[in-house]
Amino acid sequence: MGILDNFERGLERAVNGAFAKTFRSGLQPVELTSALRKELDTKAAVVARDRVLAPNRFVLRMAGADYERMRSMGAALTDELIDFVQKHAAAQHYRFAGGISIDLVQDADLSVGMLQVESENVKGDVAWTPVLDIDGKHYPLSHSRTVVGRGADADITVDDTGISRRHIMITWDGHRAQAEDLGSTNGSKLDGQPLRKAILEPESVITIGRTRIVFRVLPQAAPAPRGGANDPTRRHDAGNFWGPS
């Protein structure tokens, strides 16, 4: 563990302590990330000289009131948690047997404020899910071409007077994304540089008007039929790993 890692842990403890004092009535999202970090570090196992295998399937159990509050945040919360797990694993050089999945589950046996984490290693395919993070809201790129603009005919409508009706177009071919300015009045920027047409790398930042758009690709577990090769009830060989290189 390095100096930065120790600093992050100290900061995390301070943040969690502040939340505990202010919000005594229930869980906060920062407590979920803290619990996931602990689960990853606790369950990570050295299986070869240069390979450390960490769990990639998580179930977060909580009381009904906490579950309803977390569920109200929508898919954006789960996306953020998956992104957190991915980044922590990259920092610690952990590997996964498959894509990451995180499920929030209501548990009547738990009191408000309590959190129970279950995890396991599940071998399977990775489904790379591209999303646009716009003002904290996540928009999955479900179409090959997605237009962002102020007009009602845009696929994603943003309330910003500095944006044209059809401002930029994001294309996704299943492997990579590309951004193209559609002749907007005020132009676009990619990572601070003028944008006309360019490939998007994960975590690229597009600026249009006063709006900041972050392009992310989340490694999620690909769905599989029960009883198939990805069935978590089956025994898996830890021979191949997906993870940060």
Side-chain angles (χ1 to χ4, degrees):
M1 301 298 179
I3 295 176
L4 180 58
D5 187 79
N6 291 331
F7 171 77
E8 289 176 346
R9 288 176 180 274
L11 179 61
E12 185 176 69
R13 285 194 296 270
V15 170
N16 285 338
F19 272 118
K21 294 176 183 178
T22 307
F23 301 97
R24 296 181 182 275
S25 60
L27 287 172
Q28 296 300 311
V30 68
E31 296 177 83
L32 304 187
T33 57
S34 177
L36 287 169
R37 178 201 290 266
K38 182 178 180 181
E39 188 74 7
L40 283 165
D41 294 341
T42 300
K43 296 291 184 64
V46 179
V47 296
R49 183 175 180 179
D50 60 345
R51 294 185 183 274
V52 180
L53 182 64
N56 61 312
R57 181 179 180 181
F58 303 87
V59 176
L60 305 182
R61 298 184 178 277
M62 61 196 71
D66 290 327
Y67 173 77
E68 291 299 330
R69 289 173 55 248
M70 296 300 171
R71 192 180 66 168
S72 68
M73 299 180 193
L77 175 61
T78 304
D79 289 347
E80 288 292 345
L81 294 177
I82 291 174
D83 188 52
F84 173 83
V85 168
Q86 180 188 18
K87 288 180 178 177
H88 182 65
Q92 301 300 323
H93 304 290
Y94 296 155
R95 297 275 183 145
F96 298 121
I100 303 167
S101 69
I102 299 177
D103 295 314
L104 307 184
V105 176
Q106 181 176 338
D107 193 325
D109 293 332
L110 296 178
S111 301
V112 173
M114 295 180 64
L115 177 66
Q116 185 179 80
V117 182
E118 299 172 0
S119 66
E120 60 181 335
N121 297 313
V122 180
K123 187 176 180 179
D125 296 329
V126 178
W128 295 97
T129 304
V131 300
L132 297 180
D133 184 334
I134 304 177
D135 294 332
K137 187 174 181 179
H138 285 199
Y139 298 87
L141 295 178
S142 55
H143 304 290
S144 59
R145 296 172 181 267
T146 302
V147 174
V148 181
R150 183 167 49 87
D153 57 339
D155 298 303
I156 300 176
T157 303
V158 181
D159 185 14
D160 183 338
T161 56
I163 297 176
S164 298
R165 296 183 61 83
R166 293 171 58 86
H167 199 107
I168 60 169
M169 179 173 65
I170 310 295
T171 58
W172 171 257
D173 64 4
H175 301 283
R176 67 177 185 176
Q178 181 174 268
E180 179 181 357
D181 186 279
L182 298 177
S184 64
T185 302
N186 296 324
S188 308
K189 289 186 177 181
L190 175 61
D191 293 329
Q193 300 300 317
L195 167 67
R196 296 185 67 180
K197 188 175 184 179
I199 297 297
L200 290 178
E201 297 294 338
E203 302 302 315
S204 296
V205 178
I206 302 171
T207 305
I208 56 176
R210 301 183 304 277
T211 301
R212 184 173 181 269
I213 302 172
V214 181
F215 171 70
R216 291 177 173 171
V217 181
L218 304 179
Q220 298 179 329
R226 187 170 180 80
N230 297 336
D231 189 340
T233 62
R234 293 167 59 98
R235 181 176 179 178
H236 300 298
D237 177 13
N240 299 314
F241 306 105
W242 172 87
S245 59

